[in-house]
Amino acid sequence: MTNIAIVGIGNILLSDEGLGVRVVEELQRGYVFSPDIHVVDGGTLGLDLVQLLSGCERLIVVDAVAGGQPPGSLYVLHGDEIADYFRGKISLHEAGIREVLRMLEVMEKPLPEVVILGLEPGSIEWGFSLSPAVADNLAQAVDAIVRQLGVWGIAALPIKCL
């Protein structure tokens, strides 16, 4: 069986900075996954994610991504784009995720496939709510995750269809 992790990261106290956590909450409310799919609120765990991700074959990281596009713009990064992502330092958590992935490589447990998915933040000020531009595109981020799982041959079953 494929072991896939979908990890939402961010600080929910800082508006759009908590995007990854909010997307994971939406996934957990709206979909049922097979036991080999781990949907995780990674919050601000940082290197604590190493143990959780050890042994995974595929990873989707969901985060606020500051890439210079209008607030709410969707980013989906694969393969070589991820190296550019780390060089460009466009994620609010890039150092933490980069460290986790490098630690797994050092442990000789690299993740064979990683996708980074995010929305451009509109605000990272104190506040529990997402900015309107990000909140309006939250469903787009969820849909992008479901599409990526489909590419990998994994079905996400909407709860309303059960």
Side-chain angles (χ1 to χ4, degrees):
M1 262 190 187
T2 302
N3 190 7
I4 297 173
I6 303 167
V7 179
I9 58 176
N11 185 338
I12 61 169
L13 301 176
L14 297 173
S15 189
D16 295 344
E17 224 279 300
L19 168 75
V21 174
R22 300 302 185 207
V23 169
V24 161
E25 290 171 349
E26 287 298 310
L27 281 171
Q28 292 170 330
R29 269 194 292 271
Y31 292 87
V32 174
F33 298 94
S34 65
D36 58 328
I37 309 294
H38 308 283
V39 181
V40 179
D41 172 351
T44 57
L45 290 175
L47 288 176
D48 290 334
L49 290 171
V50 171
Q51 183 68 26
L52 176 84
L53 299 178
S54 180
C56 283
E57 296 175 23
R58 295 179 174 142
L59 169 64
I60 299 173
V61 176
V62 188
D63 192 9
V65 176
Q69 296 298 314
S73 295
L74 178 68
Y75 297 92
V76 181
L77 308 173
H78 302 87
D80 291 339
E81 295 171 321
I82 294 174
D84 293 339
Y85 161 84
F86 288 132
R87 273 194 294 281
K89 297 181 181 179
I90 58 176
S91 167
L92 300 171
H93 295 101
E94 71 79 27
I97 291 301
R98 179 180 60 207
E99 301 274 332
V100 168
L101 295 175
R102 285 189 181 159
M103 182 68 74
L104 289 166
E105 287 175 7
V106 167
M107 295 169 55
E108 297 183 358
K109 296 180 179 183
L111 300 176
E113 193 164 359
V114 178
V115 173
I116 297 175
L117 184 142
L119 297 175
E120 181 81 33
S123 170
I124 54 169
E125 302 297 320
W126 288 105
F128 291 106
S129 299
L130 296 173
S131 69
V134 171
D136 289 348
N137 288 299
L138 194 66
Q140 183 183 18
V142 171
D143 290 345
I145 293 167
V146 171
R147 280 193 307 276
Q148 181 60 53
L149 291 171
V151 167
W152 290 337
I154 308 294
L157 302 173
I159 288 175
K160 63 184 174 188
C161 293
L162 298 178

